[in-house]
Amino acid sequence: MAKIPANIVEQIKNRADVLDVVSDVVQLKQRGRNYFGLCPFHEEKTPSFSVNPAKGIFHCFGCGKGGNAVTFVMEHENIDYVDALKRLAERYGIEIQWEKGEDDFEKGETALLYEIHEIARDYFIRQLNSDKGKKALNYLLDRGFDKTVLQHFSVGFVPDEWDGLYGQIDQKKYKPRIIDKSGLFIKKDDRFLDRFRNRIMFPICNVSGRIVAFGGRTMDPKEPAKYMNSPETPIYFKSGTLYGLEHSKTAIQQEKEAIIVEGYTDFLRFYTSGIKNVVAGSGTALNAHHARLLKRFTTKTVLCYDGDSAGQKATERAGFMLLKEGFDVRAIQLPENDDPDSFVKEKGNEAFQRLYSESPQFINYYIKNNKNELNTPASKAQFVDTLIQEISEVVNPVTRDFIVKELAEELSLKEERILAQIRNVYRRKRSGNEQKKSGPGPVFQITSVTDKAEFELLKLLLTGLDDPITFILNNIPLAGFKHPALSAIAAVLYDFLKTNRNVSPAELFDREWSDTEKIYLSRLIIDSESSQEYQEAEDVAKLIIDCMTVLMSDQLEKSIRELRSRIKEAEKKQEDTIALVLELSQLQKKRQEIRRQIQEIKVK
């Protein structure tokens, strides 16, 4: 099998800065030596995801995931080790000279799905620039999108054929299982047909820039479905993908605000007109998953949907959802016959910038757009009741109080009366529904004194402090580690440290670990910093002695507890306990002797 040479692997690892790689996906803020942000691997509202550039690792204190730059790419893009190395090599301009082997290395399912989408993209682009795509190309040019724009965003076209794309697929390399899972084809009887036909094709990418799906706009005016999107696949989560974010994420971070539009052409118009902090949905209404993805880059948003009644309703749904997810939300009201694309194209950037700068807070937008219907006490009461149901789910109390203040002023109501209603709804919704942290995956658990002792000793092995490491290796046998994950880590560290004291935390993740072991390893590395920096030598020595005492007397302690329990039971039954008491006394003496011997050991 072909493989990446070891020297190239080392070059990639040395160049791949974990802070640089993670910052593409997570909005990070520095706290001391570490950087923190919202975890990309689980839903959370308080940042618990940490990056330590000095050690070259990341760790989430919430879900426990951790690793180095390579493992981050593997986890986030759901690809294997070799493909992660390839991605990083491309990023840092490192050329891979494959070592000779058989035809090729066997690729995983995810890598093949990415590849098949790249084949589709190239095919669609060729078709747009062929005779078959002239009508579609002229349509796009007439809309004001020149060839440079179309090329930059890989816009393409698929002819009205049943097997145009399918004919481009190497049947030997891409098995039916992969073709079926790609979402680009429809299986009928024993053959595959192209899902998309006679449509302008927009590639949909994940935040790292990999194509995961396509959106297609029909060129047939009789076609009932104007737009068609790929179905969900192993690489495409429709509700967690935003169109164009791979292009605009840097601008969004710089502007500290995102403009949200609905359509692909809306995004293209804004971005190519210089309004780069923009993002669009990808075939589904904006939802909480989209919001959590966007929150990695900003917590301020401006909604800019179509000016008609459908666009207004979509703005209202999206606005309340974003408020509940903790966003600062504003909303732009376009003229009734305009969409974002047509408005910027016909009226220009300056006209849009005026609307943008004057855009009200979402709650003011909502009240203004519904105020005409509030012409009776009953309609006003119904409106307030509906709004209170939405407000009660806004977690941020400052945002909630601001909404109440605006609502009271606009409708001439007392704030306290509105607040009282919100509190009642809030209590009803949350009574008996405390949020529980649960999940099917492995979790970090140190539940006993023995677990804690093993954990502390392994932390010390990762500090680089020579004297404690030497003492632990020479005096605490590997057999003393009983915890399943910690004992596996201990075996690797003992083996490594006997020949090399310069442990690179990032390199440790290059080994084969179970998911549980990786959680404990990343936590150990993160916590080891405190053992290195904040403890005096005497404190370290005392910690080692205390841990040794726990580990070496652990079995004795269990036996002592069992004997005490047996003695209590015998006493209740009025049975003879002399033999049991003598056995207990001998075990207690043995425990004292072990403790005395350990205390006499000197740690440098």
Side-chain angles (χ1 to χ4, degrees), residues 470-484:
T470 300
F471 182 83
I472 292 170
L473 294 178
N474 291 338
N475 292 279
I476 301 177
L478 253 179
F481 293 87
K482 305 294 186 183
H483 187 283

Side-chain angles (χ1 to χ4, degrees), residues 548-599:
M548 283 183 68
T549 303
V550 170
L551 294 188
M552 297 181 73
S553 60
D554 178 52
Q555 191 56 52
L556 278 175
E557 293 292 349
K558 289 179 182 177
S559 299
I560 287 171
R561 287 194 298 270
E562 290 173 2
L563 269 174
R564 284 174 175 165
S565 178
R566 289 170 60 190
I567 289 170
K568 285 182 180 179
E569 288 297 318
E571 287 174 345
K572 285 180 183 178
K573 297 176 182 178
Q574 295 184 340
E575 296 176 350
D576 185 9
T577 60
I578 294 175
L580 293 174
V581 170
L582 286 173
E583 186 178 352
L584 175 62
S585 176
Q586 290 173 351
L587 288 178
Q588 288 173 330
K589 287 179 181 179
K590 190 173 182 180
R591 181 179 61 182
Q592 286 295 113
E593 179 62 21
I594 288 174
R595 288 179 174 176
R596 184 188 64 76
Q597 291 174 0
I598 291 174
Q599 294 296 331

Side-chain angles (χ1 to χ4, degrees), residues 26-39:
V26 182
Q27 186 179 14
L28 297 168
K29 292 184 179 180
Q30 188 171 7
R31 284 192 228 153
R33 293 188 177 185
N34 293 346
Y35 292 75
F36 285 85
L38 295 172
C39 181

Side-chain angles (χ1 to χ4, degrees), residues 402-420:
F402 169 79
I403 294 171
V404 169
K405 185 176 185 297
E406 294 296 312
L407 182 60
E409 288 181 2
E410 290 281 357
L411 301 181
S412 301
L413 299 171
K414 291 182 179 180
E415 285 186 41
E416 182 51 43
R417 187 162 295 175
I418 300 172
L419 284 169

Side-chain angles (χ1 to χ4, degrees), residues 111 123 325 333 417 421 583:
Y123 170 72
E325 290 296 322
Q333 178 67 67
R417 187 162 295 175
Q421 285 185 259
E583 186 178 352

